[in-house]
Amino acid sequence: MTNEALLTEYKQSGDPELKKILVMRYSYLVKNVALKLRGVYLSFAQVDDMINEGIILLMGALDKFDLSQNVKFETYVSKRLRGMIIDLARRQDWLPRSVRKRMREIDTANSELFTQLGRVPTDKEIAEHMGLSETRYQEELAKTALCNVLSLDMLLDERDSDVPAKHLPQSDVDAQPEENYQKKELYAELKRSISELREKEQLVLSLYYQKSFQMKEIAQVLGVSEPRISQIHSNAIRKLRISMQKYIYGT
């Protein structure tokens, strides 16, 4: 029986044995998210602990999931798992001030050069603008990688929470034309921003988020080092975050 059919049967029957099977089948989602974001929480939690928390969340998600919403359960629970880790990171204030400061400096340099050049600046141009060697710039960029990933997630989450319909029952939310339009517009803008990335950046994002490849596997596909893949990933996420920030806040 497929996961979808099993989930439907569980939602209809509430059979605890079916729930155990579903937890086993979907546990890989918990592990995937926990491993991808492990750099965020390793300062205050272990991977095994985060997986255990994720399993508890998964069990609750099976009960709360609404089949009528026409959303894949994998998508639903993955977002909730990432949200759990983001909330933990917020509460723990995991990011050092020095990294936050450097991230702001990189963003400022990027914005200033974009205004001057009328295009997305290259790494070399940003490094020169900041008075750094390109190697040193890449090192600093790598330190902000996880912050870029989380801040993009947080930015999109905050944009969703600004919509009043978000606080309505889900059936009412779906009935709101304005809510649906805003969501479509937001993700259309995100899609447009992705299309403006360099080819390698798009490929890395596709392999990492859609195909669930690990950085090491992507490095093998592209024939480059794992640190280089991390740099490409970080650059792509930073560009998306800046682009979405401008779209959402007009700044």
Side-chain angles (χ1 to χ4, degrees):
M1 186 180 294
T2 65
N3 288 350
E4 291 77 11
L6 194 64
L7 181 57
T8 299
E9 187 174 335
Y10 168 67
K11 297 299 290 186
Q12 293 173 345
S13 68
D15 186 342
E17 291 304 315
L18 291 180
K19 185 174 185 178
K20 290 179 183 179
I21 296 172
L22 284 167
V23 169
M24 291 294 293
R25 289 194 181 187
Y26 284 116
S27 61
Y28 76 94
L29 292 171
V30 176
K31 185 175 181 180
N32 283 350
V33 174
L35 289 176
K36 280 187 175 181
L37 295 181
R38 61 187 179 277
V40 174
Y41 58 78
L42 281 181
S43 62
F44 58 85
Q46 298 299 313
V47 174
D48 287 346
D49 293 333
M50 197 58 63
I51 289 176
N52 289 337
E53 290 294 324
I55 293 296
I56 294 172
L57 184 147
L58 172 61
M59 293 172 67
L62 286 167
D63 294 328
K64 294 176 182 177
F65 183 63
D66 187 347
L67 289 169
S68 68
Q69 298 308 311
N70 197 28
V71 176
K72 281 190 173 184
F73 180 73
E74 290 90 336
T75 303
Y76 170 78
V77 76
S78 292
K79 184 174 182 179
R80 288 176 63 87
L81 288 165
R82 290 173 67 85
M84 176 191 73
I85 294 176
I86 288 171
D87 286 343
L88 283 172
R90 280 172 168 160
R91 291 199 296 269
Q92 294 292 333
D93 193 24
W94 62 278
L95 195 68
R97 289 183 180 179
S98 59
V99 176
R100 294 183 193 275
K101 180 174 182 293
R102 181 58 85 187
M103 181 178 168
R104 288 195 296 270
E105 291 171 348
I106 292 174
D107 285 353
T108 298
N110 186 84
S111 297
E112 290 175 352
L113 286 172
F114 185 86
T115 301
Q116 293 174 16
L117 303 172
R119 59 171 171 79
V120 176
T122 64
D123 290 351
K124 183 177 181 181
E125 289 168 338
I126 297 175
E128 290 177 352
H129 188 77
M130 296 179 65
L132 302 173
S133 67
E134 194 168 355
T135 300
R136 175 64 185 278
Y137 168 71
Q138 293 294 348
E139 291 173 352
E140 296 296 323
L141 190 64
K143 294 177 184 178
T144 69
L146 284 169
C147 186
N148 279 319
V149 173
L150 281 190
S151 59
L152 178 60
D153 278 348
M154 290 175 184
L155 188 64
L156 295 176
D157 284 346
E158 287 169 3
R159 171 62 179 79
D160 279 344
S161 66
D162 286 340
V163 180
K166 185 74 175 180
H167 302 291
L168 296 174
Q170 188 61 42
S171 58
D172 292 337
V173 169
D174 289 340
Q176 302 293 320
E178 183 179 356
E179 164 71 4
N180 291 332
Y181 174 78
Q182 288 175 325
K183 282 187 176 181
K184 288 179 181 178
E185 190 180 58
L186 177 69
Y187 288 103
E189 179 63 23
L190 181 58
K191 184 177 180 180
R192 185 197 64 77
S193 297
I194 291 173
S195 71
E196 293 184 348
L197 296 175
R198 296 171 185 169
E199 186 177 348
K200 279 190 177 180
E201 291 171 339
Q202 292 185 45
L203 179 58
V204 168
L205 292 183
S206 176
L207 292 175
Y208 189 70
Y209 291 104
Q210 293 184 305
K211 303 298 184 182
S212 296
F213 279 32
Q214 299 296 321
M215 291 292 183
K216 183 178 181 180
E217 295 171 323
I218 300 174
Q220 292 173 347
V221 171
L222 270 63
V224 298
S225 68
E226 189 173 345
R228 178 55 184 156
I229 293 299
S230 180
Q231 290 169 1
I232 294 172
H233 176 265
S234 179
N235 265 330
I237 294 297
R238 176 176 54 82
K239 291 175 184 177
L240 290 179
R241 181 174 52 78
I242 292 171
S243 177
M244 295 307 295
Q245 191 169 29
K246 288 180 178 178
Y247 167 72
I248 293 171
Y249 298 117
T251 57

